[in-house]
Amino acid sequence: VLVRVAGTTGLTNGAVVNGFAGTLVRTNVSAFKATLDRPTPFAFATSITVQASARDGAANTRATNIAFMTVADSVPPAVLLTIPVAGASGVATNVVIVTRLTDNVGVASNTIKVLVAGVYAISKGEYKSGFTSRITNTNGGYTVRVDRTLPYTNLQTVTTIMTARDGGGNIRSTNWTFTTVDVTAPFVVSTAPANGATGVATNIMIVTRLTDN
């Protein structure tokens, strides 16, 4: 008995080979049943050919082929994490947005879009001005980082919308919001007189300069 699956021999001379799992079992005096389990899944939407042949005691050989088509991929990319998390509050105004995508087939990086507060940071895998963005391949998925050039305003509710498509054409669209808060105190730029000054005139006018983000 010889069985080949998608061009790879899985059973030959009664032995299961090439990483397949399976059995060859006699079902009656003149018949056998072969069962094979491929070590890796078949590709989606692919025609698979199985070739089987056997010879009897009189050296007569029978060979037969069958073919079948695997299902198309219907699972869209998955979002593993978002930073900040959805609904977060008290987020720093200079926050860097991070998200991670994965897929059972593979995310098409040139389909990734990220819209932040109504402005595209990434569109079809291309980085846009006003942001420092990066798409990094991470264990078969992608980590997406978006750092806006200008800080967000105090108590701003920021909506992020991200879309991506996998090799099977399945689209994932996800959105989440977070609220920022300004935690940076005003900064004293200068004082006159300077701290610790001596010999200052008795009629000195005191001047100080403040700035804030």
Side-chain angles (χ1 to χ4, degrees):
V1 177
L2 173 68
V3 180
R4 293 173 61 85
V5 180
T8 301
T9 300
L11 180 68
T12 182
N13 297 324
V16 178
V17 295
N18 292 328
F20 282 81
T23 58
L24 181 64
V25 179
R26 183 185 291 275
T27 56
N28 57 50
V29 175
S30 60
F32 287 86
K33 178 182 178 181
T35 302
L36 287 177
D37 185 8
R38 194 167 182 259
T40 56
F42 297 110
F44 288 104
T46 302
S47 178
I48 306 299
T49 299
V50 179
Q51 302 164 299
S53 63
R55 189 173 65 245
D56 64 16
N60 300 298
T61 301
R62 170 71 67 184
T64 187
N65 295 343
I66 63 169
F68 59 88
M69 180 71 71
T70 57
V71 299
D73 175 30
S74 60
V75 180
V79 178
L80 298 185
L81 64 84
T82 61
I83 300 173
V85 298
S89 59
V91 177
T93 55
N94 63 345
V95 64
V96 177
I97 296 171
V98 180
T99 186
R100 183 162 177 238
L101 292 162
T102 188
D103 188 68
N104 58 336
V105 172
V107 178
S109 63
N110 62 354
T111 69
I112 295 175
K113 297 180 181 180
V114 182
L115 188 72
V116 180
V119 179
Y120 275 109
I122 302 173
S123 181
K124 297 181 179 179
E126 296 181 357
Y127 306 141
K128 299 299 183 181
S129 61
F131 299 85
T132 300
S133 303
R134 186 165 73 247
I135 299 173
T136 307
N137 193 312
T138 309
N139 298 325
Y142 287 98
T143 297
V144 181
R145 291 172 53 90
V146 172
D147 185 4
R148 196 167 86 156
T149 304
L150 295 176
Y152 302 99
T153 58
N154 186 42
L155 299 179
Q156 181 178 355
T157 298
V158 181
T159 299
T160 302
I161 303 173
M162 184 183 62
T163 59
R165 189 173 68 242
D166 66 13
N170 303 295
I171 298 175
R172 169 70 67 187
S173 179
T174 188
N175 66 81
W176 70 99
T177 63
F178 59 89
T179 303
T180 59
V181 64
D182 178 18
V183 294
T184 304
F187 179 71
V188 178
V189 178
S190 62
T191 62
N195 183 39
T198 60
V200 178
T202 56
N203 64 343
I204 183 70
M205 177 180 292
I206 298 173
V207 179
T208 186
R209 184 171 169 230
L210 296 165
T211 188
D212 187 65
N213 61 336

